[in-house]
Amino acid sequence: MQPVRIGILGMGTVGGGTVKLLAANTAEIARRLGREVVVTAAASRNAERAERLCPPGTAVGTDVFQVAAHPEVDIVVELIGGTDVAREAVICAIENGKHVVTANKKLLAEHGNEIFALADKHNVMVMFEAAVAGGIPIIKALREGLAANQIQSVAGIINGTSNFILSEMRDHGSAFSDVLKEAQQLGYAEADPTFDIEGHDAAHKLSIMSALAFGTPIHFDACYLEGISKLESQDIRYAEELGYRIKLLGITRKTEQGIELRVHPTLIPECRLLAKVEGVMNAVLVQSNMVGETLYYGAGAGASPTASAVVADIIDIARLLNADSAHRVPPLAFRQSGETLRVLPIEEIISSYYLRVSAEDEPGVLSDIAGILAAQGVSIEALIQKGVINHQTAEIVILTHRAQEKRIQSAIAQIEALPRVAAPVTMIRMESLHG
Amino acid sequence: MQPVRIGILGMGTVGGGTVKLLAANTAEIARRLGREVVVTAAASRNAERAERLCPPGTAVGTDVFQVAAHPEVDIVVELIGGTDVAREAVICAIENGKHVVTANKKLLAEHGNEIFALADKHNVMVMFEAAVAGGIPIIKALREGLAANQIQSVAGIINGTSNFILSEMRDHGSAFSDVLKEAQQLGYAEADPTFDIEGHDAAHKLSIMSALAFGTPIHFDACYLEGISKLESQDIRYAEELGYRIKLLGITRKTEQGIELRVHPTLIPECRLLAKVEGVMNAVLVQSNMVGETLYYGAGAGASPTASAVVADIIDIARLLNADSAHRVPPLAFRQSGETLRVLPIEEIISSYYLRVSAEDEPGVLSDIAGILAAQGVSIEALIQKGVINHQTAEIVILTHRAQEKRIQSAIAQIEALPRVAAPVTMIRMESLHG
């Protein structure tokens, strides 16, 4: 058979990794696919770099639209990043009848619904395994491997930078800002780390997984977002004393009231596999009604792992070039959209909670706090009073049973209004990750 | 579109689970696939049970060949088990142009090469996600998700019964025979547990994964096999003191000399995720050249998880009914077989080793043992001398660095020949699971 012809947009880390992978694993890929995958065109701001990396004979230039519309390209691989040029280039490719592979989570989280509708209109495939959890084939699992299930929830460690920082904070008892500096020196965090540490990156990935899991459009705008920059090292320590680890989780869950869609630091029991995912690694736990829980673990970033996912998509598309849509898995897993599911505002979610209250060490404070929680219908699973800081202030750490968040928020407001409570109450959500 | 028509052979646990799953998740499956999946025929030794479980209108009987050749069946689902009738029925289905889904690891390990060749001849698909690690979509990961990689090794906890027994032995310090009885009472072990505890079941699954990973025929006959029934609780304890857990692993690795293919109890560092897979759960760790390590975890058995895998295969096939073979993923992942790879005899594998030697507690024994290992070129990573049992006998526990097994076997023979060494040397292989 004729080789499959690829056009690559953007020749940065992942673009370079993709070209190198296709060269290194040529024989294996051809043996699997029954035909070769060749890069026929590539566009990069740095045309010299592209020229150096791409095989001889590749049409290399700086104009991404030229590659997106190139007559000798079957599949356009978008590795530009961002949403401006990338969006226009993907639209251009689709309108020219090209299939698209992208690693761009931001593009899909923000414009995926538009892009998938356009792809449907033009009868082309858009695939994006690399957009979520790098080299872990989690999109394939959600779309195909678990296709016989009703998926109930997805919870993932899907930002390596944040997980590295939390692992280091715990291992060395360090403060957030010190570990962030270390992560920046190691190249695990960007000079401007906001996107990773404040949860935006995780929210992009989570929004995509939520749509795949539940058969809804992508609802990135409604995703609740809370990063790790305000986490204090004593909370990591107290959590550990109580048998928990704190991880930045993306959680999406289908409930009768709607969909939970939230990214925030989360206490999870230390016995759970997710609690043991350390450093920059990623893992996603899926709960579904037939298979129960399955977990997928691996490298969530990096040139080679991301290229592995990009090329897996290329191979999948190559098998189905020219096939009609009945042969294809729909991009968001479902052909027909389900009933309309709203995303629950954070006040309506149900979770357990870790609360830390600093209060004057006097009799009565504890009973005031317990009384406020009881009045809100929140029951206490565990309570410890921690070392008096200056013989006057005590730290009270409370783990609650499951309750609706608005009740916790009311209770916190009332606790903070107590005359003998000193500082804002620290609240971290807590998930058992069972069911 | 017309519904996809299924014929089920065998209405035991998994057959019943499959029918129940199709009923419970009808709407979700139809939304994903764009058409319905209906059971049109079923055969069971117990026709009454089949009648009760199957939807009204299903042609129910006792003759599996009738269903395998039924004109109103598109996909035959073989859930009979064993190799006699199952093999004949699958061949009958293929010869009648039916696609086949099977959960039968024994059938594929022993007759897979024949079956896949026949399927190729008749241009039908044979899929078997349920045959390995139950509901975990590991076959799909090896065939599709990791398709851009050269896979280097696969290591898995793929027998839930054995893993349950090892977890319990460790947690409670119990003897093998006591835990086996408990497992039998809980229904986690069969009345005749040989198949599970001696590693046959794991070897079936491993042989299939090895073929998928490396693009070779299935080499079940050459798989090295060692079960857990001879494991002693003190070895589990000593391993733990040294920072290791003992798991029954199936390991297959591609080396320049050939393929390692082996099932045996294995020490693994306690920090590795595989070490934390407890009870009846399964997990598979795959090392590949681009994505690095990925791990897949979930339920390896049970009616619903296995049915989840069976129905995922049905959905995959349903998308490609009537498609030509260019659209399909080959059953063993590769279209063209690779260079001929031989399976290494166990003497030629390279591993690290745990050795326990009982010897008279006299000066000189230790140096004799160390001398024997040194003469074989085996270097020692750690050595501890354990409590004297009766003031005369000491237990010496040694962890070695990596060495070829025949050198270890020579060393063991020489150590056992020492006059002051009392009993056979206990040897357990050890894997770091890195790279």
Side-chain angles (χ1 to χ4, degrees):
Chain A
M1 272 195 289
Q2 291 288 97
V4 180
R5 300 166 305 176
I6 307 302
I8 301 182
L9 316 182
M11 200 51 73
T13 310
V14 179
T18 301
V19 171
K20 281 183 202 158
L21 187 155
L22 288 170
N25 292 351
T26 309
E28 292 265 321
I29 292 167
R31 278 180 61 207
R32 287 177 183 269
L33 183 56
R35 59 200 293 194
E36 283 185 30
V37 177
V38 296
V39 181
T40 48
S44 169
R45 270 186 299 193
N46 182 344
E48 249 176 60
R49 174 178 156 85
E51 192 85 54
R52 200 174 60 246
L53 287 170
C54 288
T58 310
V60 172
T62 54
D63 184 350
V64 296
F65 296 97
Q66 206 173 350
V67 174
H70 198 291
E72 285 176 23
V73 162
D74 304 309
I75 303 173
V76 170
V77 179
E78 185 278 304
L79 303 170
I80 306 165
T83 51
D84 299 333
V85 179
R87 177 176 158 277
E88 285 172 44
V90 164
I91 288 173
C92 170
I94 293 170
E95 288 179 339
N96 279 279
K98 313 295 183 194
H99 304 286
V100 173
V101 174
T102 177
N104 192 331
K105 56 219 92 171
K106 187 174 198 303
L107 175 66
L108 295 179
E110 296 180 7
H111 303 286
N113 298 325
E114 173 197 10
I115 288 168
F116 297 132
L118 193 68
D120 187 46
K121 191 176 146 198
H122 289 272
N123 196 28
V124 296
M125 292 174 267
V126 175
M127 294 188 69
F128 48 89
E129 183 65 79
V132 180
I136 308 171
I138 181 65
I139 299 295
K140 185 170 276 286
L142 291 170
R143 278 210 297 211
E144 303 171 36
L146 302 175
N149 291 266
Q150 292 175 37
I151 295 172
Q152 296 154 331
S153 69
V154 178
I157 295 172
I158 45 180
N159 181 269
T161 306
S162 301
N163 202 54
F164 174 82
I165 291 172
L166 292 177
S167 294
E168 292 289 299
M169 285 177 75
R170 176 185 157 261
D171 285 356
H172 307 296
S174 321
F176 171 80
S177 55
D178 296 336
V179 180
L180 175 59
K181 267 181 226 141
E182 183 199 341
Q184 285 169 324
Q185 279 157 10
L186 287 167
Y188 291 159
E190 308 279 340
D192 176 2
T194 315
F195 189 66
D196 288 313
I197 64 174
E198 297 302 355
H200 302 281
D201 175 68
H204 286 148
K205 296 167 183 167
L206 181 69
S207 304
I208 296 169
M209 290 199 287
S210 179
L212 285 163
F214 307 131
T216 65
I218 295 171
H219 288 303
F220 170 66
D221 285 347
C223 186
Y224 176 80
L225 205 55
E226 196 180 306
I228 61 167
S229 60
K230 295 199 190 78
L231 267 187
E232 295 181 60
S233 55
Q234 78 240 56
D235 292 312
I236 292 176
R237 205 169 63 239
Y238 295 163
E240 192 157 0
E241 286 174 26
L242 290 157
Y244 293 83
R245 298 282 158 81
I246 299 182
K247 295 289 185 186
L248 182 69
L249 286 195
I251 300 171
T252 185
R253 181 179 285 132
K254 193 172 173 182
T255 76
E256 283 181 19
Q257 287 70 45
I259 292 172
E260 295 184 2
L261 186 65
R262 47 194 172 101
V263 172
H264 51 68
T266 314
L267 273 78
I268 54 182
E270 64 187 3
C271 62
R272 307 285 289 154
L273 281 185
L274 268 188
K276 288 157 180 161
V277 173
E278 304 289 358
V280 295
M281 300 304 280
N282 280 200
V284 179
L285 177 71
V286 184
Q287 189 76 37
S288 5
N289 76 334
M290 289 296 158
V291 69
E293 66 173 39
T294 52
L295 179 136
Y296 309 83
Y297 166 90
S304 295
T306 310
S308 164
V310 166
V311 176
D313 279 350
I314 291 173
I315 294 171
D316 271 2
I317 291 179
R319 294 191 203 279
L320 295 170
L321 284 175
N322 311 322
D324 65 49
S325 72
H327 293 87
R328 300 173 184 164
V329 187
L332 288 178
F334 291 85
R335 270 167 211 284
Q336 306 152 37
S337 67
E339 71 273 44
T340 306
L341 297 165
R342 77 184 179 112
V343 176
L344 298 178
I346 195 69
E347 294 73 26
E348 291 184 38
I349 70 141
I350 291 172
S351 179
S352 305
Y353 296 85
Y354 164 102
L355 305 175
R356 175 166 55 82
V357 185
S358 296
E360 286 174 39
D361 190 22
E362 282 178 25
V365 174
L366 210 60
S367 91
D368 286 351
I369 294 171
I372 288 169
L373 288 168
Q376 289 293 338
V378 177
S379 62
I380 294 172
E381 184 195 317
L383 186 149
I384 46 174
Q385 183 153 340
K386 297 302 302 184
V388 174
I389 295 167
N390 50 13
H391 299 285
Q392 288 183 329
T393 311
E395 292 205 303
I396 299 160
V397 173
I398 298 164
L399 303 185
T400 78
H401 283 292
R402 283 164 65 78
Q404 199 172 42
E405 179 139 334
K406 67 179 158 202
R407 292 180 174 274
I408 295 288
Q409 289 182 359
S410 297
I412 288 172
Q414 289 172 50
I415 291 168
E416 288 177 342
L418 289 173
R420 284 171 298 183
V421 166
V425 172
T426 297
M427 180 271 268
I428 309 174
R429 294 171 193 85
M430 187 165 96
E431 293 284 337
S432 69
L433 299 176
H434 278 298
Chain B
M1 273 196 290
Q2 291 287 97
V4 179
R5 301 166 304 175
I6 307 302
I8 300 182
L9 316 182
M11 201 51 75
T13 310
V14 179
T18 301
V19 171
K20 280 183 203 158
L21 186 155
L22 288 170
N25 292 351
T26 308
E28 293 265 320
I29 292 167
R31 276 181 61 209
R32 289 178 182 266
L33 183 57
R35 59 202 292 193
E36 281 184 32
V37 176
V38 298
V39 181
T40 48
S44 170
R45 270 187 298 194
N46 181 343
E48 249 175 59
R49 175 179 154 85
E51 192 85 58
R52 198 172 62 246
L53 287 170
C54 288
T58 310
V60 172
T62 54
D63 184 351
V64 294
F65 298 97
Q66 205 172 353
V67 173
H70 199 290
E72 285 177 22
V73 163
D74 304 308
I75 302 172
V76 170
V77 179
E78 185 277 304
L79 302 170
I80 304 164
T83 51
D84 300 333
V85 180
R87 178 176 157 276
E88 286 173 43
V90 164
I91 288 174
C92 169
I94 292 171
E95 289 179 337
N96 279 277
K98 312 297 184 194
H99 304 286
V100 172
V101 173
T102 177
N104 191 332
K105 56 219 89 168
K106 188 176 198 304
L107 175 66
L108 294 179
E110 296 180 7
H111 303 284
N113 298 325
E114 173 198 10
I115 288 168
F116 297 132
L118 192 69
D120 187 46
K121 189 177 147 198
H122 289 272
N123 196 28
V124 297
M125 292 174 267
V126 176
M127 293 188 70
F128 48 90
E129 183 65 80
V132 179
I136 307 172
I138 181 65
I139 300 296
K140 186 170 275 287
L142 291 171
R143 280 210 297 210
E144 304 171 36
L146 302 175
N149 290 265
Q150 293 175 37
I151 295 172
Q152 297 154 329
S153 70
V154 178
I157 294 172
I158 45 181
N159 181 269
T161 305
S162 301
N163 201 55
F164 173 82
I165 291 173
L166 292 177
S167 295
E168 292 289 300
M169 284 176 75
R170 176 185 155 260
D171 286 355
H172 307 297
S174 320
F176 172 81
S177 55
D178 296 336
V179 181
L180 176 59
K181 267 180 226 140
E182 184 199 340
Q184 285 169 323
Q185 279 157 11
L186 288 167
Y188 292 158
E190 307 281 341
D192 176 1
T194 314
F195 189 66
D196 289 313
I197 64 174
E198 298 302 354
H200 302 280
D201 175 70
H204 286 147
K205 295 167 183 167
L206 181 69
S207 305
I208 296 169
M209 289 199 287
S210 178
L212 286 163
F214 308 131
T216 65
I218 294 171
H219 287 303
F220 170 66
D221 286 347
C223 185
Y224 175 80
L225 204 56
E226 195 181 307
I228 61 169
S229 60
K230 295 198 190 78
L231 267 187
E232 295 181 61
S233 55
Q234 78 240 54
D235 293 312
I236 293 175
R237 205 169 64 240
Y238 295 162
E240 191 157 2
E241 286 173 25
L242 290 157
Y244 293 83
R245 298 284 158 81
I246 299 181
K247 294 290 186 185
L248 182 68
L249 286 195
I251 300 172
T252 186
R253 179 179 287 132
K254 193 172 172 182
T255 76
E256 282 180 19
Q257 288 70 43
I259 292 172
E260 296 184 2
L261 187 65
R262 49 196 171 97
V263 172
H264 51 68
T266 315
L267 272 77
I268 54 182
E270 66 187 2
C271 61
R272 306 284 289 153
L273 280 185
L274 268 188
K276 288 156 179 160
V277 172
E278 304 289 358
V280 296
M281 299 305 279
N282 280 200
V284 178
L285 177 70
V286 184
Q287 189 77 34
S288 7
N289 76 334
M290 288 296 159
V291 70
E293 64 174 42
T294 52
L295 179 137
Y296 309 82
Y297 166 91
S304 296
T306 309
S308 164
V310 165
V311 176
D313 279 349
I314 291 173
I315 293 170
D316 270 2
I317 291 179
R319 294 192 202 278
L320 295 171
L321 283 175
N322 310 322
D324 64 50
S325 71
H327 293 89
R328 298 173 185 164
V329 186
L332 288 178
F334 292 85
R335 269 168 212 284
Q336 304 152 37
S337 66
E339 70 275 43
T340 306
L341 297 165
R342 76 184 179 111
V343 176
L344 298 177
I346 194 72
E347 294 74 25
E348 292 184 37
I349 70 142
I350 292 173
S351 178
S352 306
Y353 296 85
Y354 164 102
L355 305 176
R356 176 166 54 82
V357 185
S358 296
E360 285 176 38
D361 189 22
E362 282 177 25
V365 174
L366 210 60
S367 91
D368 288 351
I369 293 171
I372 289 169
L373 288 167
Q376 288 293 337
V378 177
S379 64
I380 293 172
E381 185 195 317
L383 186 150
I384 46 174
Q385 183 155 341
K386 297 302 299 184
V388 174
I389 295 165
N390 49 13
H391 299 284
Q392 289 183 328
T393 310
E395 291 205 304
I396 299 160
V397 174
I398 298 164
L399 305 185
T400 78
H401 284 294
R402 283 162 66 78
Q404 198 172 41
E405 179 139 333
K406 66 179 156 202
R407 293 179 174 274
I408 294 288
Q409 289 182 359
S410 296
I412 289 172
Q414 290 172 49
I415 291 168
E416 287 177 345
L418 288 174
R420 284 170 299 184
V421 166
V425 172
T426 297
M427 181 271 270
I428 308 174
R429 296 172 192 83
M430 187 164 98
E431 294 283 337
S432 68
L433 298 176
H434 278 298

